[in-house]
Structures are given as structure tokens and as C-alpha cells.
Amino acid sequence: MQKLVFFVGVAGTGKTTVAKKLAVRMPAAFLDRDTVGGRFVEKFLESNGHDPNDRDSSFYKENLRDLEYDTTKDICIENLNAGQNVFMISPFTAELKNREWIEEVITSAGLTKKDVDVKVIVVALQDMELQKERIIDRRTERDQWKLDHWDDFKKRVEFVPEVNWDIPQASIKVFDNSGDLTEEKVEDLYQFIVRE
């Protein structure tokens, strides 16, 4: 059975770091939405007179957000159709609320829910100051808006995304990524993924 694993959560929680640790254990197409669309989005924002690193503006949300997510989804579909496991890394906030979205991904790949085991790992942090430190430590220009408007950003991210997909509750795991990402924690997540 193919695995389609979503690593979701807000900026700075460590979604990509967690996914990379697990990718060592399980071969999978590794689709980080920032990597898939980042260069194109930056160029498009800049050519339209906007900050190339701003993913919070209404212009980005109205013109580019869905393009990034839909492109990542299309690459996911192609990989599923080719028989690959897929790791998807991004907040997926709107997609998680859309009950039909996951069905569309699976059926567009020519598969059924019996062919694909969908898991969602919600990477979270209880400590907002640790989250801020991690955002600072990764040193990406894209995060500057978040840091410049931390009080506003912090209000928006103090939540765990709701998963509205038609998947068993046991296929959703909230993982508190505080502290060190130990081998024991990675093993626990790996067992969660491989369990059917």
C-alpha cells in the first residue's frame, strides 16, 4: 500500500526537519511546497511591485497561493500514479478543511482509498518563543515579515489545524516538536506511518 504523508503545521514548528528524518527511513517523493513554487512566486511578486518574500499579503493569497498548492498537488498526483510514496510538506490550511480535496488527489492518480494510506502529522510547538528562535535560526528572507510582525503572526498561529478529510482519526497524529528530535521520537512517528 502506498503512503501519502502530510506534514502540516505553521512556520517554525519543524515540519521539514521532521519529514527529512523520516525520509531517511522510507523512500518517498519529498514535496515541500516552498521548494516547488518558491522561485516562481518570488519572481512574480517582485515583477508586480511586491516584496518577493511576503506570503501574507492579499495579493499573494489572491493570485499565487493556490497556484503553489495546486502545482504541488499535481506533482503529488504524478508520483502516486507512478507508484511512489509521497511526503507533502506545507501548512495545507485550506486543503485540510476541504473534505473533497484528498479524494480528488487519490482519484486523479487513478487510485482508490484502498490503494493509498493517508497519514497526517500535525507538527506543533507549545513554546512560541522556541518557534521564534527556530524561525530566526533558519535565516530565510521569507520569514522577515513574520518576525517584523511577530505579535500579529503569533495570534494567527496559536492553533492546531483541523483535519476535515474522510480518514480515520487514528491516521492523524499531533506531534509536539519541542525539545530534541530524538531517535525515539522519530521511531514513534515512523511506526505511526507504517501502521495500516
mmCIF file of all heavy atoms in Angstrom, residues 98-108 111 113 165-166:
data_model
loop_
_atom_site.group_PDB
_atom_site.id
_atom_site.type_symbol
_atom_site.label_atom_id
_atom_site.label_comp_id
_atom_site.label_asym_id
_atom_site.label_seq_id
_atom_site.Cartn_x
_atom_site.Cartn_y
_atom_site.Cartn_z
ATOM 1 N N ASN A 98 -11.102 21.174 3.362
ATOM 2 C CA ASN A 98 -11.898 20.774 2.195
ATOM 3 C C ASN A 98 -12.017 19.249 2.155
ATOM 4 O O ASN A 98 -11.075 18.554 1.795
ATOM 5 C CB ASN A 98 -11.231 21.295 0.924
ATOM 6 C CG ASN A 98 -11.981 20.947 -0.332
ATOM 7 O OD1 ASN A 98 -12.911 20.135 -0.330
ATOM 8 N ND2 ASN A 98 -11.573 21.542 -1.434
ATOM 9 N N ARG A 99 -13.164 18.736 2.484
ATOM 10 C CA ARG A 99 -13.377 17.290 2.585
ATOM 11 C C ARG A 99 -13.093 16.555 1.277
ATOM 12 O O ARG A 99 -12.621 15.428 1.275
ATOM 13 C CB ARG A 99 -14.817 17.016 3.044
ATOM 14 C CG ARG A 99 -15.068 15.597 3.499
ATOM 15 C CD ARG A 99 -16.386 15.534 4.243
ATOM 16 N NE ARG A 99 -16.668 14.205 4.738
ATOM 17 C CZ ARG A 99 -16.197 13.707 5.872
ATOM 18 N NH1 ARG A 99 -15.387 14.430 6.616
ATOM 19 N NH2 ARG A 99 -16.514 12.487 6.259
ATOM 20 N N GLU A 100 -13.368 17.201 0.142
ATOM 21 C CA GLU A 100 -13.198 16.554 -1.164
ATOM 22 C C GLU A 100 -11.758 16.584 -1.675
ATOM 23 O O GLU A 100 -11.409 15.848 -2.601
ATOM 24 C CB GLU A 100 -14.101 17.216 -2.214
ATOM 25 C CG GLU A 100 -15.582 16.906 -2.061
ATOM 26 C CD GLU A 100 -16.245 17.702 -0.938
ATOM 27 O OE1 GLU A 100 -15.878 18.884 -0.759
ATOM 28 O OE2 GLU A 100 -17.094 17.138 -0.231
ATOM 29 N N TRP A 101 -10.919 17.432 -1.104
ATOM 30 C CA TRP A 101 -9.581 17.651 -1.662
ATOM 31 C C TRP A 101 -8.762 16.355 -1.717
ATOM 32 O O TRP A 101 -8.180 16.032 -2.745
ATOM 33 C CB TRP A 101 -8.840 18.716 -0.845
ATOM 34 C CG TRP A 101 -7.558 19.175 -1.459
ATOM 35 C CD1 TRP A 101 -7.406 20.162 -2.383
ATOM 36 C CD2 TRP A 101 -6.249 18.666 -1.206
ATOM 37 N NE1 TRP A 101 -6.074 20.309 -2.719
ATOM 38 C CE2 TRP A 101 -5.343 19.407 -2.007
ATOM 39 C CE3 TRP A 101 -5.737 17.666 -0.380
ATOM 40 C CZ2 TRP A 101 -3.972 19.170 -2.003
ATOM 41 C CZ3 TRP A 101 -4.370 17.432 -0.371
ATOM 42 C CH2 TRP A 101 -3.507 18.169 -1.178
ATOM 43 N N ILE A 102 -8.726 15.616 -0.643
ATOM 44 C CA ILE A 102 -7.899 14.396 -0.602
ATOM 45 C C ILE A 102 -8.453 13.333 -1.557
ATOM 46 O O ILE A 102 -7.698 12.587 -2.184
ATOM 47 C CB ILE A 102 -7.749 13.856 0.841
ATOM 48 C CG1 ILE A 102 -6.624 12.816 0.919
ATOM 49 C CG2 ILE A 102 -9.046 13.265 1.363
ATOM 50 C CD1 ILE A 102 -5.251 13.368 0.650
ATOM 51 N N GLU A 103 -9.780 13.272 -1.684
ATOM 52 C CA GLU A 103 -10.398 12.335 -2.638
ATOM 53 C C GLU A 103 -9.961 12.656 -4.064
ATOM 54 O O GLU A 103 -9.661 11.761 -4.850
ATOM 55 C CB GLU A 103 -11.922 12.415 -2.539
ATOM 56 C CG GLU A 103 -12.492 12.028 -1.199
ATOM 57 C CD GLU A 103 -12.453 10.532 -0.946
ATOM 58 O OE1 GLU A 103 -12.298 9.769 -1.913
ATOM 59 O OE2 GLU A 103 -12.553 10.145 0.230
ATOM 60 N N GLU A 104 -9.914 13.956 -4.370
ATOM 61 C CA GLU A 104 -9.510 14.382 -5.710
ATOM 62 C C GLU A 104 -8.064 13.988 -5.996
ATOM 63 O O GLU A 104 -7.741 13.539 -7.099
ATOM 64 C CB GLU A 104 -9.675 15.896 -5.847
ATOM 65 C CG GLU A 104 -9.345 16.420 -7.225
ATOM 66 C CD GLU A 104 -9.438 17.931 -7.307
ATOM 67 O OE1 GLU A 104 -10.261 18.527 -6.590
ATOM 68 O OE2 GLU A 104 -8.680 18.505 -8.098
ATOM 69 N N VAL A 105 -7.207 14.130 -5.019
ATOM 70 C CA VAL A 105 -5.801 13.747 -5.195
ATOM 71 C C VAL A 105 -5.697 12.262 -5.520
ATOM 72 O O VAL A 105 -5.039 11.853 -6.486
ATOM 73 C CB VAL A 105 -4.979 14.080 -3.926
ATOM 74 C CG1 VAL A 105 -3.590 13.448 -3.990
ATOM 75 C CG2 VAL A 105 -4.862 15.591 -3.741
ATOM 76 N N ILE A 106 -6.359 11.444 -4.737
ATOM 77 C CA ILE A 106 -6.249 9.989 -4.905
ATOM 78 C C ILE A 106 -6.873 9.530 -6.220
ATOM 79 O O ILE A 106 -6.274 8.765 -6.979
ATOM 80 C CB ILE A 106 -6.877 9.273 -3.694
ATOM 81 C CG1 ILE A 106 -6.034 9.556 -2.440
ATOM 82 C CG2 ILE A 106 -6.988 7.766 -3.931
ATOM 83 C CD1 ILE A 106 -6.681 9.131 -1.134
ATOM 84 N N THR A 107 -8.076 10.005 -6.512
ATOM 85 C CA THR A 107 -8.737 9.555 -7.739
ATOM 86 C C THR A 107 -8.045 10.097 -8.986
ATOM 87 O O THR A 107 -7.991 9.419 -10.006
ATOM 88 C CB THR A 107 -10.235 9.950 -7.757
ATOM 89 O OG1 THR A 107 -10.355 11.372 -7.605
ATOM 90 C CG2 THR A 107 -10.995 9.251 -6.655
ATOM 91 N N SER A 108 -7.481 11.301 -8.917
ATOM 92 C CA SER A 108 -6.752 11.856 -10.061
ATOM 93 C C SER A 108 -5.495 11.040 -10.370
ATOM 94 O O SER A 108 -5.007 11.058 -11.499
ATOM 95 C CB SER A 108 -6.370 13.313 -9.804
ATOM 96 O OG SER A 108 -7.523 14.117 -9.726
ATOM 97 N N LEU A 111 -6.192 6.016 -8.474
ATOM 98 C CA LEU A 111 -6.155 5.096 -7.340
ATOM 99 C C LEU A 111 -7.427 5.240 -6.515
ATOM 100 O O LEU A 111 -8.259 6.103 -6.764
ATOM 101 C CB LEU A 111 -4.922 5.396 -6.472
ATOM 102 C CG LEU A 111 -3.569 5.294 -7.188
ATOM 103 C CD1 LEU A 111 -2.464 5.880 -6.330
ATOM 104 C CD2 LEU A 111 -3.255 3.851 -7.560
ATOM 105 N N LYS A 113 -8.987 4.751 -2.215
ATOM 106 C CA LYS A 113 -8.548 4.822 -0.820
ATOM 107 C C LYS A 113 -7.987 3.486 -0.333
ATOM 108 O O LYS A 113 -7.238 3.444 0.637
ATOM 109 C CB LYS A 113 -9.710 5.280 0.063
ATOM 110 C CG LYS A 113 -10.026 6.753 -0.130
ATOM 111 C CD LYS A 113 -11.316 7.176 0.515
ATOM 112 C CE LYS A 113 -11.246 7.127 2.014
ATOM 113 N NZ LYS A 113 -12.462 7.669 2.640
ATOM 114 N N TRP A 165 -10.788 15.769 6.485
ATOM 115 C CA TRP A 165 -10.808 14.728 5.466
ATOM 116 C C TRP A 165 -11.473 13.464 5.986
ATOM 117 O O TRP A 165 -11.506 13.213 7.193
ATOM 118 C CB TRP A 165 -9.387 14.390 5.027
ATOM 119 C CG TRP A 165 -8.687 15.514 4.332
ATOM 120 C CD1 TRP A 165 -9.258 16.611 3.768
ATOM 121 C CD2 TRP A 165 -7.277 15.641 4.145
ATOM 122 N NE1 TRP A 165 -8.288 17.425 3.225
ATOM 123 C CE2 TRP A 165 -7.067 16.847 3.440
ATOM 124 C CE3 TRP A 165 -6.184 14.856 4.491
ATOM 125 C CZ2 TRP A 165 -5.786 17.285 3.083
ATOM 126 C CZ3 TRP A 165 -4.914 15.289 4.134
ATOM 127 C CH2 TRP A 165 -4.731 16.488 3.437
ATOM 128 N N ASP A 166 -11.976 12.667 5.062
ATOM 129 C CA ASP A 166 -12.616 11.409 5.411
ATOM 130 C C ASP A 166 -11.547 10.322 5.575
ATOM 131 O O ASP A 166 -11.382 9.451 4.720
ATOM 132 C CB ASP A 166 -13.629 11.011 4.327
ATOM 133 C CG ASP A 166 -14.400 9.755 4.697
ATOM 134 O OD1 ASP A 166 -14.439 9.414 5.896
ATOM 135 O OD2 ASP A 166 -14.946 9.104 3.787
#
